[in-house]
Amino acid sequence: MFDKHEIALSVKNLNVDYGDFRALENISLEIPARQITAIIGPSGCGKSTFLRCFNRMNDLVPTARVTGEVLFYGQNIYDSKVNPVEVRRHIGMVFQKPNPFPKSIYENVAYGARINGYKGNMDELVERSLRAAALWDEVKDDLKKSALALSGGQQQRLCIARAIAVEPQVILMDEPASALDPIATLKIEELMQELKKDYTIVIVTHNMQQAARVSDYTAMMMLSKEGSRAGTVIEFGPTPQIFTSPRDRRTEDYITGRFG
Amino acid sequence: MLRKTFETELQQVKDNVLFLGSLVEQAILDSVEALKKRDMDASRRIMEADREINARRFAIENQVMVLIATQQPMAHDLRLLASILEIAGELERMGDYAKGIAKINILMGEQPLLKPLIDLPRMAQKDADMLHRALTAFLDEDVETARAIPQEDDEVDALYNQIYRELITFILQDPTTIERANWLLWAAHNLERVADRVTNICERTIFIATGEMAELDGAANGEENA
C-alpha cells in the first residue's frame, strides 16, 4: 500500500485478552513511518486498547494478555528480551486529558530526559522541545511557572513537548484534542502536520472530520462480529479513499452516521 | 433514526434535480417544435423560461453548499452531493442549447425553412428520451442503465452526420442557401451536444453508486464530432 513509505510498525495477528474477555481480535496492519495514521470507530470497539499495544501500555493492566506480534522496525516489542520502558522511550504517548506534572513548565519538559540520563544542554533541549510543540513563544518568559497554570490547549502542547523531549520515533495520541476548544484543537492539528516531518504519529479520534483533516491513512475498527465484544480493524487505507469511497459497507455506514 | 433530517434534505435536492431535468427535457422538445412550426412566440417563451432553469441550477448549488457546510457529508453522501453540482451544471447547459435553438428561430425572421424538419425532431426526441432515462437511473443509482445509455449516443451522432451531409448538398447546389443551412446545422449541433452531456450525467451516476470515475465511450465520440 505504501510503496513510498518505510514501515515503522507492523502488527501481525494481534489479539488482546483481559482474563476471559477478548478485547481485540486478529489485527494485522502496517503503520507507515513519518505519516499520520488515524484509528476511528464507534465507542467500545477497542481503539484505545489497540493504540496502547504499540508501546506496551496494556502490560500495566494485570489481567491483560497480548498475543501476536508488534514489530517496531522489525523488532518484536513483545519479545521477552525487550524492556517495556525502553519501548516507551521510543514510542511516546499523549493522552486525552492533558496530564502535566504539578511542576514548573521547564521541569515537565526536562523530566523524562533527566531520568534517561540526558547529558546534553538541558536548556537547549527544553527550548527545542517547546518550539517543536509550538508552545515556546507563549511560555518562554514563564518557564518557572507551574504547568497547571496553563490553559488546557497549552497543557496539551506541553505534554507533546514532554513526549518529544525524550526524542522518540513514534508519538501515539489518544483523543488529543477532545477536551479542547476548536482553536486549541486546530493548533494541535497544525502541530501534527509539523511533527510528522520527524515522527510517526498514530492518533485515536472520535472526530471523523479530524481524522479526515489530519491523517494520511485511516484504520476503521469495529466489533468483529454481531454479539462479540472483540474489536478488530475492518478496513485500512489511504484517508481520501476511506472517506470518499470506503470499500466496506460498515465503514460507509459509520462515517455517514447511519450507526455508531 | 440518526439521519432523518439529513435524509430528508438529500431527498429534496434530488427532487429538485429531477424537476430541473424535466424543465430542460421539455425545453429541448419545445425548441425544435417551435422551429419546425416557425412559432416565434413559443421561441420567445423558451428563451424567457431559460431564466428559471438558470435560477434553479443556482438554487441547487446553494442547497448542496449548505449541506456540505452543515452536515459534513462523507463517502456515498459526498459523492452524491459533489455529483449533483456537476449534474445541475450539465442540465443548465442543456437548457442553453434549447435556448440557442429558440434564438435561431427568431434570427431566421421571415425567411422560410430550407427544408421541412424531419431528422431534427428525431434528434430532439432521442435526446429527451435519453435524458429522461439518465435521470431515472441517477435517482435509482442504476449502474447498468447508466452504462447502457451512452451507447445510444451513436444514434444521435448518426442523425447529426446525416443532417450535416444533407445540408452540405443544399449548399453545393445553391450557395445562397448557406445562411439558412448554417442555422439548421447549428441547431443540429446543439442537439448533438445534449446527448454528450447525458453521457456525463451517466458517468456521475456510476461514480455515485460505485466510486469509480470513468469516461464512458459516448462522450468521447461526441467530442470528436464537435
Side-chain angles (χ1 to χ4, degrees):
Chain A
M1 188 189 305
F2 356 87
D3 296 338
K4 49 192 191 298
H5 302 299
E6 194 183 359
I7 305 301
L9 287 152
S10 175
V11 179
K12 292 184 177 167
N13 308 315
L14 183 80
N15 295 297
V16 174
D17 297 86
Y18 293 122
D20 296 338
F21 161 54
R22 170 145 290 190
L24 292 183
E25 189 159 82
N26 197 23
I27 297 178
S28 297
L29 59 74
E30 289 174 330
I31 305 282
R34 287 174 297 283
Q35 294 283 293
I36 300 174
T37 300
I39 303 173
I40 62 168
S43 298
C45 70
K47 300 184 293 293
S48 295
T49 302
F50 183 36
L51 190 72
R52 282 150 201 258
C53 289
F54 289 120
N55 71 345
R56 294 191 57 172
M57 289 282 286
N58 290 317
D59 292 19
L60 305 174
V61 180
T63 59
R65 193 164 58 88
V66 178
T67 54
E69 287 182 340
V70 176
L71 305 175
F72 177 53
Y73 291 101
Q75 162 77 55
N76 183 12
I77 63 169
Y78 285 93
D79 193 293
S80 57
K81 296 190 291 287
V82 170
N83 175 1
V85 176
E86 186 63 14
V87 169
R88 288 177 210 134
R89 207 184 70 64
H90 291 288
I91 305 174
M93 193 152 192
V94 175
F95 298 88
Q96 178 174 5
K97 198 165 167 289
N99 56 350
F101 306 130
K103 292 171 176 292
S104 71
I105 293 167
Y106 186 99
E107 279 307 311
N108 262 275
V109 182
Y111 187 82
R114 195 163 280 150
I115 8 181
N116 285 332
Y118 183 70
K119 297 287 193 298
N121 183 325
M122 192 59 88
D123 288 355
E124 273 176 25
L125 177 73
V126 169
E127 177 172 344
R128 192 165 69 237
S129 304
L130 285 168
R131 278 190 190 282
L135 188 59
W136 175 251
D137 289 340
E138 291 161 56
V139 301
K140 60 174 188 266
D141 300 324
D142 299 307
L143 294 176
K144 297 275 176 288
K145 221 166 79 174
S146 166
L148 301 179
L150 296 172
S151 74
Q154 289 172 326
Q155 287 188 10
Q156 193 62 303
R157 278 177 283 146
L158 179 64
C159 293
I160 292 171
R162 187 177 68 189
I164 292 169
V166 297
E167 296 172 333
Q169 282 148 289
V170 179
I171 304 173
L172 308 174
M173 297 185 170
D174 193 353
E175 298 263 10
S178 66
L180 306 179
D181 69 35
I183 303 292
T185 297
L186 272 182
K187 279 191 186 158
I188 299 283
E189 291 179 2
E190 285 297 313
L191 172 59
M192 289 171 71
Q193 299 305 323
E194 282 302 309
L195 292 176
K196 84 169 193 189
K197 292 170 187 163
D198 300 308
Y199 307 94
T200 300
I201 297 175
V202 185
I203 174 178
V204 163
T205 177
H206 263 118
N207 180 337
M208 269 173 310
Q209 259 61 44
Q210 182 171 63
R213 271 197 304 271
V214 305
S215 71
D216 302 295
Y217 292 89
T218 297
M220 170 71 199
M221 289 187 71
M222 184 124 296
L223 297 182
S224 59
K225 49 191 169 288
E226 198 74 33
S228 159
R229 286 171 62 204
T232 194
V233 173
I234 61 163
E235 185 165 2
F236 180 55
T239 297
Q241 185 242 308
I242 296 283
F243 285 98
T244 59
S245 304
R247 304 226 160 89
D248 193 297
R249 181 78 218 175
R250 293 167 294 175
T251 309
E252 167 94 30
D253 286 347
Y254 180 71
I255 64 174
T256 56
R258 285 188 177 78
F259 72 81
Chain B
M1 181 172 163
L2 279 165
R3 301 172 18 116
K4 197 158 179 251
T5 315
F6 185 37
E7 293 285 355
T8 310
E9 285 170 315
L10 279 180
Q11 193 53 51
Q12 278 169 1
V13 188
K14 282 196 203 172
D15 290 346
N16 290 341
V17 171
L18 285 193
F19 193 89
L20 175 60
S22 66
L23 290 181
V24 170
E25 189 184 323
Q26 200 56 51
I28 292 163
L29 291 171
D30 289 350
S31 67
V32 175
E33 187 65 18
L35 180 64
K36 187 178 167 185
K37 292 188 177 150
R38 301 303 329 280
D39 182 343
M40 307 285 200
D41 288 338
S43 290
R44 276 186 209 100
R45 282 196 299 275
I46 291 161
M47 289 179 72
E48 191 56 37
D50 189 56
R51 289 172 198 273
E52 186 188 348
I53 290 174
N54 295 348
R56 282 185 175 272
R57 183 258 180 120
F58 286 142
I60 289 169
E61 273 191 306
N62 190 51
Q63 235 180 335
V64 170
M65 296 283 201
V66 169
L67 282 178
I68 290 173
T70 57
Q71 299 282 353
Q72 287 102 36
M74 293 285 193
H76 175 271
D77 300 330
L78 181 61
R79 299 200 300 272
L80 174 66
L81 288 172
S83 298
I84 283 175
L85 286 178
E86 286 287 326
I87 291 172
E90 298 289 357
L91 291 172
E92 191 265 329
R93 291 308 301 275
M94 289 186 207
D96 288 345
Y97 293 139
K99 182 185 168 188
I101 293 171
K103 199 171 166 190
I104 288 167
N105 191 27
I106 291 165
L107 281 175
M108 282 171 73
E110 295 304 312
Q111 300 190 58
L113 284 168
L114 184 59
K115 59 179 282 295
L117 299 189
I118 297 158
D119 288 333
L120 273 175
R122 276 188 195 149
M123 278 182 92
Q125 192 58 53
K126 184 70 196 167
D127 280 344
D129 179 51
M130 284 171 73
L131 173 59
H132 191 89
R133 283 179 293 124
L135 287 175
T136 308
F138 156 73
L139 192 67
D140 300 340
E141 295 187 13
D142 177 350
V143 174
E144 208 174 311
T145 306
R147 277 193 209 285
I149 291 170
Q151 322 247 335
E152 301 171 31
D153 186 44
D154 290 349
E155 286 178 49
V156 178
D157 290 344
L159 282 167
Y160 174 72
N161 290 332
Q162 191 173 313
I163 291 169
Y164 180 84
R165 283 192 301 270
E166 196 182 1
L167 291 172
I168 291 292
T169 57
F170 272 95
I171 294 168
L172 289 173
Q173 281 167 19
D174 176 5
T176 63
T177 62
I178 281 179
E179 192 175 28
R180 287 187 297 159
N182 213 23
W183 277 323
L184 295 182
L185 193 58
W186 188 0
H189 180 74
N190 276 4
L191 293 174
E192 190 270 325
R193 294 296 295 147
V194 168
D196 292 341
R197 291 183 183 272
V198 169
T199 296
N200 295 345
I201 292 177
C202 292
E203 287 171 357
R204 293 294 141 181
T205 294
I206 293 167
F207 174 64
I208 294 165
T210 66
E212 170 202 342
M213 219 183 259
E215 189 157 2
L216 297 171
D217 279 345
N221 292 340
E223 299 297 343
E224 283 161 26
N225 268 329

